[in-house]
Amino acid sequence: YKDDKVFEAARILKSIQDPIFKDIHRLILEKADDGEKLASSLKANPEDGDWIDQGVSKGKFPTRILYRLETNDEGTSELTARCETPIDRDLLNPLLAVLNETQLYQTWMPTFKVPKFGLTKSEKLKQIGRVSQLIFIDFDVPWPFAKRELIMSATAIDDTSNGNIVLAMKTLETGDDETIPEKAEKSVRVDVDGGFLMRKCPSDHPSLQFMEGGTNDDLVLVTFSAKLNPNMKYLPQSFLNFLVKTALGMSWKMMLQLAQDVKDGKRPDHTKAIEEKDEELYGWVRARVEEMLGLISERETLQV
């Protein structure tokens, strides 16, 4: 579990006859169930759902963006957004480093003056596993809405033996962990449920037609989806358009470009963080990624 092998730990627990589980065991089973549901949903073809497809944005990182808007039982709007981008295999490890270094989010996440929107604080509250952690994020939203807070668990799931890396995100509340602070007086907590899946890129993905050079064999598909409840009774169409067409797309492209810059040694803050944690973390991550990519190559060879 401390090595983020949640699925493997859950399989062992499920094999035990007449178990007497402790809270940590129940937590592992819960996280595994959430991770399996997330992976299944991210592997599902979007055409089978009620997504609004924004098409593929062209450029260095061709990305498919989709969304849907729903109203929950409390009458507030929930936005679910999804991004899918094929990347070169050698970009996967730098991307994982970008996602993991949560304290550096403020150095690269975009902010907007019109409308006022952007991350103002990002803090790691607690390290759970090698990669898994509890995160606090604070961000501005347009007037007349109050500042928003997000506290979530980011659970990394090492499923490299099956060709997958899963990163599940889930909202936490004050009281769920001793490190979680009380809500700021003038802020509103938001809810998020979703995450990332990294796997071999399917040969029929619509972004491939816009990729320059390389082959499908060289690519890993990074898929992200999250349901966000900003706790607004009404989500203005103008703000919805901004979130989906501008903020999300720009943040996603900046994240991928940052991964490229990290790979090329152009981000000293990330380089320093990686070097400081190389022995206990990033060396291990590299080994797991290389094992996953090696298994994918072996399976492709056997299929031929």
Side-chain angles (χ1 to χ4, degrees):
Y1 177 62
K2 289 294 184 180
D3 279 343
D4 295 318
K5 297 184 179 181
V6 177
F7 289 162
E8 184 175 334
R11 283 192 289 269
I12 293 172
L13 289 173
K14 290 176 181 178
S15 69
I16 300 174
Q17 294 184 353
D18 301 322
I20 302 176
F21 288 154
K22 298 180 179 180
D23 288 345
I24 184 62
H25 301 135
R26 285 186 283 271
L27 180 62
I28 291 171
L29 292 171
E30 178 185 337
K31 287 181 177 292
D33 184 58
D34 289 343
E36 288 171 354
K37 290 178 180 176
L38 174 65
S40 178
S41 70
L42 294 182
K43 289 178 182 179
N45 192 333
E47 280 78 8
D48 298 333
D50 54 351
W51 295 95
I52 298 173
D53 194 342
Q54 298 293 293
V56 176
S57 64
K58 303 174 182 63
K60 185 174 182 179
F61 302 105
T63 299
R64 186 184 192 186
I65 298 178
L66 311 97
Y67 78 95
R68 59 188 175 209
L69 189 64
E70 303 165 297
T71 302
N72 63 21
D73 295 338
E74 286 73 38
T76 58
S77 299
E78 292 184 336
L79 170 67
T80 305
R82 176 170 174 144
C83 297
E84 305 173 353
T85 307
I87 63 170
D88 291 334
R89 292 184 176 198
D90 58 2
L91 202 60
L92 180 54
N93 204 51
L95 176 59
L96 291 171
V98 169
L99 292 172
N100 184 65
E101 296 302 325
T102 52
Q103 77 282 0
L104 295 176
Y105 283 3
Q106 289 169 261
T107 67
W108 62 270
M109 289 286 285
T111 57
F112 303 86
K113 293 183 178 180
V114 182
K116 184 180 181 182
F117 182 79
L119 183 147
T120 57
K121 182 180 180 181
S122 178
E123 178 185 357
K124 179 173 69 174
L125 299 176
K126 186 177 184 179
Q127 192 75 36
I128 304 298
R130 283 188 186 258
V131 179
S132 300
Q133 52 190 280
L134 305 186
I135 306 167
F136 171 85
I137 294 175
D138 189 83
F139 55 98
D140 287 327
V141 295
W143 182 89
F145 303 110
K147 182 184 285 286
R148 260 50 184 177
E149 292 181 354
L150 169 62
I151 297 179
M152 66 178 180
S153 65
T155 303
I157 301 177
D158 177 359
D159 192 33
T160 52
S161 60
N162 292 312
N164 304 311
I165 294 175
V166 182
L167 178 60
M169 305 183 312
K170 192 171 184 178
T171 302
L172 296 176
E173 301 291 343
T174 301
D176 289 340
D177 188 88
E178 71 277 3
T179 63
I180 298 176
E182 295 290 336
K183 180 182 71 65
E185 183 178 353
K186 296 184 179 180
S187 294
V188 175
R189 289 266 170 92
V190 303
D191 302 318
V192 67
D193 186 11
F196 293 80
L197 174 69
M198 292 84 163
R199 61 182 176 121
K200 175 179 167 52
C201 184
S203 59
D204 59 351
H205 194 274
S207 294
L208 291 177
Q209 60 184 310
F210 303 106
M211 297 290 293
E212 294 182 3
T215 68
N216 180 52
D217 293 340
D218 301 322
L219 301 175
V220 170
L221 181 65
V222 180
T223 303
F224 165 80
S225 181
K227 177 183 286 186
L228 173 68
N229 179 1
N231 283 316
M232 297 177 180
K233 285 289 185 181
Y234 171 67
L235 189 60
Q237 185 64 44
S238 59
F239 188 44
L240 172 63
N241 291 339
F242 166 77
L243 285 175
V244 174
K245 297 181 180 181
T246 303
L248 175 62
M250 184 177 292
S251 299
W252 186 259
K253 293 294 182 71
M254 289 182 71
M255 177 190 72
L256 295 172
Q257 182 58 54
L258 179 62
Q260 183 66 59
D261 291 345
V262 170
K263 175 179 176 291
D264 295 338
K266 297 179 180 179
R267 302 292 296 205
D269 288 343
H270 284 82
T271 299
K272 181 181 178 182
I274 292 170
E275 289 176 348
E276 289 176 348
K277 303 172 187 176
D278 189 72
E279 183 174 348
E280 74 274 14
L281 176 60
Y282 287 111
W284 177 84
V285 171
R286 280 194 302 274
R288 303 305 297 152
V289 168
E290 289 170 4
E291 179 178 336
M292 182 186 84
L293 297 178
L295 288 171
I296 290 174
S297 297
E298 287 179 14
R299 289 167 185 168
E300 289 172 349
T301 302
L302 290 173
Q303 289 174 357
V304 173

